[in-house]
Amino acid sequence: MKHIVFAIPGDISAPTGGYIYDRHIIDGLRALGWQVDLLGLGEGFPFPSAQTLREAHAALSALPHGLPIVIDGLALGVMPDVVAAIKKDRPVIALVHHPLAFESGLAVEQAAHLKDTEQRALRHVSHVIVTSPATARDLTAYFSVAKERVDAVVPGTDRAEFSSGSQSEIVSLLCVGSIIPRKGFDVLLPALYQLRDLPWQLIIAGDRSRHEQAPRQLDLDIERFGLADRVTVLGAVTASMLAELYARADVFVLASHFEGFGMAYAEALAHGLPVIGTTGGAIPDTVPSDAGLLVEPGNVDTLAIALKRMIASKDVREQFAYGARRVALTQPTWDDSAQRFADILLKSIGSR
């Protein structure tokens, strides 16, 4: 009953929110006495080659009958026929970070295709685990998944020392997120351009390998807006360096168009940082109104207003930092999240 396979597309060591979540949950389950076997499903998801799909199908089918499988949604959502075949003799649990069709930058045809395949795949699973109540609502509203078949396990956070700030008159803005269209750099840069008369510096920490065009566009926008002396792009950083960046920041900002949870927002709150973000997806569930300013996704002018309010006033920053520290004390730990994940697994496996 406490033995599962965790099926993962791509590289589980990648520094993205989804993989960080997977790693913490797997480690937590093992600490709780579960045997968790990892199964790699190959590269290229959510647009894998036909060969990758065949190999994933073969690997999943070769697992012992009756052994429960948790499949990360990045892969599950594009292989409905595989899920239909393997679920006949074993429980299959979907782990959905956010609906694939809700990714920014997709062509209309791509989004429609992903919605169709993910909806069909979810029909065949024993249970669905999502990373936020907002994603649970989305699956019910747009993917015809019954409420009783979905449970949310929000990410945990590590308890951290609160940021001491930059100790400078130049406000230090920190943005953490992979350089992909969904993270809203196309909105953040023009918003900051409107505020070039204010004292600020921006540091962006995020993996530049997740998307072909977005990093080039970010570099072009920094040059186009004349912000090369005010914006630093670090790429992916180590956990220790990221902790240092949080410790020296005054404000966290991420203009995501959509988030299934938004782990970087939660980490910023754990460090007591005031947050500027958007209302896209689950972000309002993560960032309460007393901890940050949330604006409509994709709106340059309203983002600029929020940034100006935070940059121009130390009192405003301290007000929202107080709210962030309040939230930090109530956030679940990763141990809490792993325990809830384990409880849901036992319920879903036992009810099969």
Side-chain angles (χ1 to χ4, degrees), residues 114-315:
L114 290 173
K115 184 177 186 300
D116 173 65
T117 59
E118 188 158 24
Q119 185 166 355
R120 289 192 288 122
L122 290 170
R123 290 177 191 153
H124 300 299
V125 301
S126 306
H127 204 72
V128 183
I129 297 176
V130 296
T131 57
S132 71
T135 300
R137 294 191 294 269
D138 285 339
L139 293 188
T140 298
Y142 301 109
F143 292 81
S144 304
V145 179
K147 291 181 180 180
E148 60 270 18
R149 297 183 59 234
V150 187
D151 280 295
V153 180
V154 301
T157 56
D158 295 319
R159 294 294 183 252
E161 291 188 11
F162 294 145
S163 167
S164 58
S166 65
Q167 307 298 317
S168 169
E169 294 183 359
I170 299 175
V171 176
S172 177
L173 307 174
L174 175 63
C175 180
V176 179
S178 297
I179 314 303
I180 58 176
R182 180 164 51 85
K183 299 300 181 179
F185 298 104
D186 59 326
V187 183
L188 179 58
L189 268 294
L192 285 171
Y193 175 73
Q194 295 185 19
L195 307 177
R196 57 196 182 279
D197 58 324
L198 295 179
W200 58 265
Q201 292 279 340
L202 172 67
I203 294 177
I204 299 172
D207 189 352
R208 292 175 61 94
S209 68
R210 310 299 297 177
H211 193 273
E212 183 176 355
Q213 178 58 32
R216 290 201 296 264
Q217 188 60 54
L218 174 61
D219 295 340
L220 288 172
D221 285 344
I222 291 171
E223 184 68 25
R224 176 165 65 97
F225 290 118
L227 299 176
D229 61 336
R230 307 186 72 173
V231 177
T232 302
V233 183
L234 298 178
V237 299
T238 64
S240 60
M241 184 173 183
L242 183 59
E244 291 181 15
L245 293 174
Y246 278 121
R248 297 197 303 267
D250 297 307
V251 178
F252 178 85
V253 57
L254 183 60
S256 295
H257 294 282
F258 179 88
E259 291 287 353
F261 177 75
M263 284 180 54
Y265 295 98
E267 289 177 356
L269 294 173
H271 286 83
L273 283 174
V275 169
I276 298 174
T278 75
T279 56
I283 300 169
D285 291 340
T286 308
V287 184
S289 59
D290 65 338
L293 298 171
L294 302 183
V295 301
E296 177 188 7
N299 192 316
V300 172
D301 292 336
T302 56
L303 180 61
I305 291 170
L307 283 161
K308 182 176 182 179
R309 183 180 173 192
M310 200 78 79
I311 293 169
S313 173
K314 184 177 181 181
D315 288 343

